[in-house]
Amino acid sequence: MCTNNYLLPIEILKDFLNKLFQFESQDLDFGIYKILHYKREEIKNFIDVLITDTVKFQLKTLSQEEIISAKVNLNYLLQMKW
C-alpha cells in the first residue's frame, strides 16, 4: 500500500476481491461460503501473490515490447535522410 492515502490499482483490486469473498464474515458457513472458507489460504495466496506477480510480469513484458518498438522507430528515424 502507498503512502498519502493513495492506493495503487492493484491494491484496489485486491481489496475488492477480499470483500467479494467475504473472509471477514464468520456467519457465512453454508454452501459456497463453506468451500471458500475451506480454501481460504489458497484464495488469499491467489489474491496476494499470484495476481500481483502476474500483473508485474505483464507490465514488464509490455514495457519490454515498448522499448523494442521505440528502438525500431529510433533506428528508422536515424536512417532517414532529412
Side-chain angles (χ1 to χ4, degrees), residues 20 28 31 39 44 53 59 67 72 75-77 80-81:
L20 178 71
L28 296 173
K39 296 286 189 173
K44 292 293 283 179
D53 291 347
L59 288 173
I67 289 170
V72 168
N75 286 335
Y76 173 76
L77 292 173
M80 290 182 67
K81 296 185 179 185

Side-chain angles (χ1 to χ4, degrees), residues 23 36-46:
F23 289 129
L36 290 176
H37 284 289
Y38 180 73
K39 296 286 189 173
R40 179 183 182 148
E41 290 304 314
E42 292 176 46
I43 295 168
K44 292 293 283 179
N45 183 55
F46 172 77

